[in-house]
Amino acid sequence: MYSLADYITAFIISLTVSIIVTPFVMKFARRFGFIDHPNYRKVHSRVMPRLGGASIVIGTLSGLLYLHELIIHLWPMIIGASIILLVGTLDDKYTLNAKTKFIGQLSASCIVSLSGITIDFITLPFSSERIYLGIFSYILTIVWIVGITNSINLIDGLDGLASGVSIIAMTSILCLATLNSQFLIISLTTILIGSTLGFLIYNFYPAKIFMGDTGSLFLGYCISIISLLGLYKSVTIFSLVIPIIVLAIPIFDTFFAILRRLLNKQKILDPDKSHLHHRLLQLGFSHKQTVLIIYAIGTFFGISAIIFSRSTLWGSFIFVVFLTFTIQITAELIGLIGKHQPLLTMFKKLKD
């Protein structure tokens, strides 16, 4: 077990290395063609270097080398992360199709699941009765890892959005892990927050570099793993909801994206321009305002998750119902205003 001084040192190392390395990654990306070109679906209007996720990875590895005793516990996750990084790097260079990226994510999640990191049973509320999941424990683990990995990837549409939302989510997980003395999670989140924060300095609006799929897939994968470790082996029905609340923005944005594409008879993996950040831009908010609004929403859900974890069972139930209605109503209002031009014009006038 490491001391507080060790955690602070690991954070500073990962932060500093990420800050120092990012300019070199920018030069490397430009020289070797890791470039993001503008198109109809993207918000940026000029050619930008990507592969910025390499800075996050290098910063994370630096912090991990300092807290080297963790490595022996992380081999399945490290192997899975290597596959994720390979897929992300190839996509940043050659723009892989969605099916190829999905196969890579599935492979990485299978390695983690087969290593034994699964949720084996669920304890029912008001009872000590356990429901053993059997083969479904592997399926649940794989679905969770692939789902969260993709959700972070899908919200990476504005400068600093995915990196900022990831930092907020990981900070919330860090607080929950501290309250529950989960030292492995504390170590991992400390390192990841430091490396991502160092990169965010260059990625916040106006960005000098994009994280690309190297970064968004890596962050999504890591967040899915550390949130899964918090549930390791067994959960109650209500504790299962906690990581969902922490990651409410990417999870619900992905859920509505899938639902929207199914209703429009589109392929689920096809990209579109109707995510939450696109909706807010359509309402007339600036690029920077949109990112800050989503940061605020993410912070709200992070704090909510911490409160949820400390509340009673009935309090938790009421809290979940309230949050569910809040999410649904907000999404419907944004969609309604975005679709109706008179309402959109009125909103912009009120905003101005």
Side-chain angles (χ1 to χ4, degrees):
M1 186 175 68
Y2 291 103
S3 66
L4 177 60
D6 289 325
Y7 294 133
I8 294 172
T9 303
F11 172 82
I12 293 172
I13 289 172
S14 58
L15 173 69
T16 305
V17 169
S18 182
I19 292 172
I20 293 172
V21 164
T22 301
F24 295 99
V25 173
M26 290 166 58
K27 292 179 181 178
F28 180 91
R30 289 187 184 278
R31 181 174 179 180
F32 292 97
F34 292 87
I35 299 298
D36 197 329
H37 296 277
N39 61 35
Y40 75 96
R41 192 178 60 85
K42 297 177 181 178
V43 176
H44 67 282
S45 57
R46 58 193 176 93
V47 173
M48 291 287 292
R50 48 186 178 183
L51 194 68
S55 303
I56 299 173
V57 174
I58 294 170
T60 301
L61 287 175
S62 301
L64 195 58
L65 286 174
Y66 179 76
L67 302 180
H68 56 87
E69 291 178 12
L70 298 177
I71 296 174
I72 194 172
H73 304 289
L74 301 175
W75 278 115
M77 290 161 274
I78 291 172
I79 295 170
S82 300
I83 296 173
I84 291 292
L85 289 173
L86 177 62
V87 171
T89 303
L90 290 174
D91 185 72
D92 285 346
K93 175 65 175 177
Y94 302 109
T95 310
L96 304 176
N97 60 51
K99 187 178 292 185
T100 302
K101 291 196 289 185
F102 177 74
I103 291 171
Q105 295 165 22
L106 192 62
S107 301
S109 62
C110 284
I111 288 172
V112 174
S113 177
L114 293 173
S115 73
I117 300 175
T118 57
I119 300 171
D120 290 345
F121 59 86
I122 293 176
T123 304
L124 296 176
F126 307 109
S127 169
S128 58
E129 184 180 351
R130 295 176 175 180
I131 299 178
Y132 286 88
L133 300 175
I135 190 67
F136 291 104
S137 63
Y138 297 100
I139 297 172
L140 178 62
T141 302
I142 291 168
V143 169
W144 178 260
I145 295 172
V146 172
I148 299 303
T149 300
N150 273 295
S151 67
I152 299 297
N153 182 238
L154 287 173
I155 64 166
D156 185 26
L158 296 179
D159 296 358
L161 182 57
S163 48
V165 168
S166 296
I167 289 170
I168 292 167
M170 289 187 292
T171 302
S172 303
I173 294 171
L174 173 60
C175 293
L176 290 166
T178 302
L179 290 172
N180 293 290
S181 300
Q182 295 173 310
F183 298 107
L184 178 60
I185 299 176
I186 292 171
S187 303
L188 291 174
T189 49
T190 299
I191 294 167
L192 283 163
I193 291 168
S195 58
T196 309
L197 187 59
F199 171 74
L200 182 58
I201 293 172
Y202 300 92
N203 184 234
F204 192 72
Y205 183 82
K208 298 179 178 66
I209 183 173
F210 293 160
M211 68 166 60
D213 273 26
T214 307
S216 60
L217 293 178
F218 175 74
L219 281 176
Y221 173 80
C222 289
I223 291 171
S224 71
I225 296 297
I226 59 177
S227 57
L228 186 65
L229 287 172
L231 300 171
Y232 185 49
K233 288 300 176 189
S234 66
V235 295
T236 64
I237 293 294
F238 287 101
S239 66
L240 186 62
V241 179
I242 293 175
I244 296 175
I245 297 174
V246 170
L247 299 165
I249 290 178
I251 286 176
F252 283 95
D253 193 44
T254 302
F255 171 77
F256 286 121
I258 293 171
L259 183 62
R260 182 171 60 248
R261 290 164 193 174
L262 288 174
L263 292 174
N264 293 329
K265 297 181 179 179
Q266 297 175 322
K267 293 180 180 178
I268 291 177
L269 299 177
D270 283 352
D272 62 22
K273 206 171 181 179
S274 299
H275 292 284
L276 175 60
H277 53 275
H278 293 127
R279 295 292 193 186
L280 291 172
L281 288 172
Q282 290 167 10
L283 292 178
F285 290 104
S286 69
H287 192 128
K288 188 175 182 178
Q289 287 172 335
T290 298
V291 172
L292 292 175
I293 287 170
I294 297 177
Y295 282 3
I297 297 171
T299 302
F300 166 76
F301 281 114
I303 294 171
S304 299
I306 296 169
I307 295 172
F308 178 94
S309 69
R310 301 287 96 183
S311 60
T312 62
L313 190 61
W314 280 110
S316 299
F317 177 76
I318 295 169
F319 202 69
V320 171
V321 172
F322 170 75
L323 284 179
T324 303
F325 274 105
T326 301
I327 293 166
Q328 186 63 37
I329 291 170
T330 302
E332 292 298 329
L333 284 175
I334 290 174
L336 181 66
I337 294 172
K339 287 180 180 178
H340 292 79
Q341 190 62 35
L343 283 175
L344 181 58
T345 303
M346 181 182 71
F347 182 85
K348 288 181 177 177
K349 287 181 179 178
L350 289 172
K351 177 179 169 292
D352 294 336

